[in-house]
Amino acid sequence: MPHRSNTVFIVEDDQSVRDALSLLLGLQGLSVALFADAESFLAARRPDWHGCLLVDIRMPGMDGLTLQKRLCESGSWLPVIVMTGHGDVESARQAFRSDAVDFLEKPIDHSRLLAAIEEAFARQHVRQDDAERGAAVTSLLQTLTPREREVMAQVVAGRHNREIARRLDISPRTVEVHKARLLAKLQVGSIADLVRLSLRAGEKDHG
């Protein structure tokens, strides 16, 4: 099973369902947090929570699909598994449009639920790793001088030293110096690696 630091956050208004799911997942060694409605989950939610959300569609107050949409709009990393006792095609479409991991109809198939939770945890690890890499790249980019960033934009655009020198009104030798410095600062060993890093950071050609 996935790493124990993950938690399954269950949002379900039916206490008997909450208790049954909590027992099932607890027996699998999973950490569980229970909420009776979407509002209490949102009030308690912290940005450093890890795991996934298992949410019922039909609840008093805010319904599960609205909660899922709200989380998507807020940039939440928590993958969502939707469950319902009244499945319909349109609800499933809405759930998957908001990137649901799975759409489970009650009574819940336990093996499918566990598979969905495992996939959800894997998705979050990927998102977290991507975010951490992005933050690291951003931090490295901040060490560049304005001129180095100009040279980087020209290099990533595929221009050669002489063309870069002409565009920036500097000598080809100075271009080489700036390239060597920015490669060292960004901890990359080649122009190809520089291009990959630039794409990852969302850098655009300003030249």
Side-chain angles (χ1 to χ4, degrees), residues 107-135:
I108 303 295
D109 180 282
H110 292 178
S111 60
R112 185 171 169 183
L113 171 61
L114 294 174
I117 290 171
E118 190 160 359
E119 180 184 344
F121 287 171
R123 281 193 193 184
Q124 192 190 54
H125 284 311
V126 169
R127 291 175 186 172
Q128 185 178 356
D129 289 346
D130 287 347
E132 289 173 353
R133 281 195 295 269

Side-chain angles (χ1 to χ4, degrees), residues 138-158:
T138 298
S139 179
L140 290 173
L141 287 171
Q142 289 172 348
T143 69
L144 300 182
T145 65
R147 178 61 87 185
E148 287 165 350
R149 292 183 70 87
E150 289 178 332
V151 171
M152 176 178 170
Q154 299 293 326
V155 171
V156 169

Side-chain angles (χ1 to χ4, degrees), residues 126-197:
V126 169
R127 291 175 186 172
Q128 185 178 356
D129 289 346
D130 287 347
E132 289 173 353
R133 281 195 295 269
V137 167
T138 298
S139 179
L140 290 173
L141 287 171
Q142 289 172 348
T143 69
L144 300 182
T145 65
R147 178 61 87 185
E148 287 165 350
R149 292 183 70 87
E150 289 178 332
V151 171
M152 176 178 170
Q154 299 293 326
V155 171
V156 169
R159 300 189 176 106
H160 299 294
N161 288 353
R162 289 190 180 280
E163 185 180 0
I164 296 172
R166 187 171 64 255
R167 282 173 169 262
L168 300 182
D169 196 24
I170 57 179
S171 71
R173 172 61 184 158
T174 302
V175 172
E176 277 293 339
V177 171
H178 284 309
K179 282 172 65 175
R181 286 177 179 168
L182 71 89
L183 289 173
K185 285 183 176 181
L186 298 178
Q187 303 173 17
V188 294
S190 68
I191 298 302
D193 289 337
L194 179 65
V195 171
R196 275 194 290 271
L197 180 146

Side-chain angles (χ1 to χ4, degrees), residues 7-207:
T7 298
V8 181
F9 300 93
I10 300 174
V11 183
E12 162 66 64
D13 62 304
D14 187 325
Q15 183 174 346
S16 63
V17 176
R18 287 200 307 273
D19 291 344
L21 289 171
S22 178
L23 177 60
L24 169 68
L25 299 181
L27 290 173
Q28 298 295 320
L30 294 170
S31 176
V32 176
L34 304 177
F35 299 88
D37 53 65
E39 290 81 1
S40 61
F41 170 80
L42 288 173
R45 185 171 73 96
R46 289 169 28 191
D48 61 346
W49 279 359
H50 293 280
C52 69
L53 179 65
L54 179 59
V55 59
D56 188 29
I57 284 185
R58 295 192 179 185
M59 297 182 291
M62 184 185 299
D63 63 66
L65 293 179
T66 302
L67 172 59
Q68 183 192 14
K69 184 178 179 182
R70 180 82 61 86
L71 291 173
C72 284
E73 291 171 348
S74 72
S76 170
W77 288 357
L78 282 177
V80 177
I81 302 166
V82 176
M83 56 184 176
T84 180
H86 312 275
D88 63 81
V89 173
E90 182 54 33
S91 294
R93 280 204 191 104
Q94 288 184 48
F96 286 121
R97 271 199 296 265
S98 295
D99 203 28
V101 175
D102 206 345
F103 186 88
L104 305 177
E105 293 191 38
K106 299 174 182 177
I108 303 295
D109 180 282
H110 292 178
S111 60
R112 185 171 169 183
L113 171 61
L114 294 174
I117 290 171
E118 190 160 359
E119 180 184 344
F121 287 171
R123 281 193 193 184
Q124 192 190 54
H125 284 311
V126 169
R127 291 175 186 172
Q128 185 178 356
D129 289 346
D130 287 347
E132 289 173 353
R133 281 195 295 269
V137 167
T138 298
S139 179
L140 290 173
L141 287 171
Q142 289 172 348
T143 69
L144 300 182
T145 65
R147 178 61 87 185
E148 287 165 350
R149 292 183 70 87
E150 289 178 332
V151 171
M152 176 178 170
Q154 299 293 326
V155 171
V156 169
R159 300 189 176 106
H160 299 294
N161 288 353
R162 289 190 180 280
E163 185 180 0
I164 296 172
R166 187 171 64 255
R167 282 173 169 262
L168 300 182
D169 196 24
I170 57 179
S171 71
R173 172 61 184 158
T174 302
V175 172
E176 277 293 339
V177 171
H178 284 309
K179 282 172 65 175
R181 286 177 179 168
L182 71 89
L183 289 173
K185 285 183 176 181
L186 298 178
Q187 303 173 17
V188 294
S190 68
I191 298 302
D193 289 337
L194 179 65
V195 171
R196 275 194 290 271
L197 180 146
S198 177
L199 292 172
R200 187 184 306 155
E203 289 286 309
K204 299 184 184 298
D205 176 15
H206 297 294

